[in-house]
Amino acid sequence: MTVRQLRLAVTADDYEAALRFYRDVLGLTEQATYHRPDGDGRVTILEAGRATLELIEPAYAEYIDEVEVGRRVAGHVRVAFEVDDSAAATARAAEAGLEVIAEPRRTPWDSLNARLDGPAHLQLTIFQELGGSAR
């Protein structure tokens, strides 16, 4: 068996706000939109570049939160987006109304990471690789 794609499916109570943020603010490309036959409800698939699945032991998840935020804040799911400029992306997200939990800060794994409360009840990490070691 070969996995060809990782697709994160998120139910958003405020679909329009989530779509505006992920597509218009964060810049994910719209691949397709499908509607229920009765017109009540839709799904939009957004291209997010390369996907990985990051499995984290609880003690290391606590460490990541300490590094990125200064305290434990994430639940069992956090979505991370790599961008070219994490400071600019964080500023755009804040202008779009998202709560910035932590401004971008350099991590021991040599990336610049910010933490946000995102649409659809997702905690987000916006990160920029600076070119050093992996976690």
Side-chain angles (χ1 to χ4, degrees), residues 35-111:
H35 299 266
R36 280 179 45 152
D38 64 6
D40 185 26
R42 62 190 155 147
V43 59
T44 299
I45 301 169
L46 301 170
E47 172 66 39
R50 182 178 67 105
T52 61
L53 177 60
E54 193 170 300
L55 300 174
I56 309 166
E57 289 185 330
Y60 203 87
E62 184 177 329
Y63 172 65
I64 293 170
D65 278 1
E66 284 295 324
V67 167
E68 293 183 1
V69 180
R71 66 188 190 286
R72 185 74 172 125
V73 294
H76 77 284
V77 174
R78 176 178 46 84
V79 180
F81 292 98
E82 181 180 359
V83 298
D84 291 331
D85 183 337
S86 62
T90 300
R92 282 194 312 273
E95 289 168 8
L98 268 65
E99 179 187 345
V100 176
I101 299 170
E103 293 290 337
R105 58 174 72 171
R106 191 174 195 131
T107 68
W109 41 91
D110 209 19
S111 61

Side-chain angles (χ1 to χ4, degrees), residues 2-24:
T2 300
V3 174
R4 304 217 182 271
Q5 180 181 162
L6 171 65
R7 186 172 289 181
L8 178 65
V10 176
T11 301
D13 293 330
D14 190 341
Y15 176 88
E16 290 298 332
L19 185 61
R20 272 192 308 277
F21 174 73
Y22 293 109
R23 183 190 60 203
D24 304 336

